[in-house]
Amino acid sequence: MAKKPAILFLCTGNSARSQMAEAFARYYGGDALILQSAGTHPVGVHPNAIWAMNEVGLDISHHTSDLLSSKNLEDFDYVVTLCGEAQESCPVLPPTTHQEHWPLPDPTKIRGNASQVMKGFRVIRYQIEHRVRDLLRRISG
């Protein structure tokens, strides 16, 4: 039996972007993948990320915000960084690990009224979903 590809989604706070990416990968990839997310400085799952994912039928309210150092990077075939700080903080990866960088704005930093903030979360959510689907297509080759 072939080894399941393992993907780690990495962000600073592990509160929004990496959580959404993990959820979409789990939805589209199912049991064919090993999926985790982590943060260089985890701060908990952001309530607006939970709301934005619930809006598309995915519940991430049970997700935890994990510290990068709690992960064994040798276990992952792919590490996807979703912000510049995570990319810069990412330790040296094993030579067999593929790294991708998705430089997406942090939706938790969006300011404005509730409608503007949620619109920003939706835009980032859509971009993450598109990139996750593309990644999974390339992995399944």
Side-chain angles (χ1 to χ4, degrees):
M1 178 183 230
K3 177 185 175 283
K4 293 180 183 182
I7 305 170
L8 175 66
F9 295 100
L10 178 60
C11 215
T12 304
N14 191 216
S15 65
R17 292 166 289 185
S18 52
Q19 295 288 347
M20 290 190 274
E22 179 185 355
F24 278 125
R26 195 170 305 286
Y27 177 76
Y28 290 114
D31 292 335
L33 302 166
I34 297 168
L35 301 161
Q36 294 184 37
S37 64
T40 57
H41 299 88
V43 296
V45 182
H46 197 281
N48 287 342
I50 294 170
W51 180 90
M53 295 306 285
N54 277 338
E55 190 177 57
V56 294
L58 299 177
D59 180 11
I60 64 169
S61 63
H62 61 281
H63 282 201
T64 59
S65 187
D66 300 333
L67 186 61
L68 173 61
S69 63
S70 71
K71 308 294 181 184
N72 181 358
L73 294 177
E74 293 183 8
D75 293 342
F76 296 98
D77 302 298
Y78 298 85
V79 172
V80 179
T81 54
L82 289 102
C83 66
E85 184 177 322
Q87 182 186 32
E88 293 167 11
S89 301
C90 190
V92 174
L93 298 173
T96 57
T97 302
H98 305 279
Q99 183 177 9
E100 288 199 20
H101 179 58
W102 301 348
L104 298 170
D106 184 353
T108 68
K109 304 271 191 243
I110 297 170
R111 300 295 172 246
N113 63 38
S115 177
Q116 293 166 323
V117 170
M118 290 320 302
K119 180 181 178 185
F121 267 85
R122 287 182 184 114
V123 168
I124 298 302
R125 179 189 67 204
Y126 172 78
Q127 292 173 351
I128 290 170
E129 181 180 18
H130 176 76
R131 288 172 187 245
V132 165
R133 291 180 76 172
D134 178 62
L135 174 64
L136 298 183
R137 271 192 296 277
R138 288 184 281 122
I139 288 174
S140 64

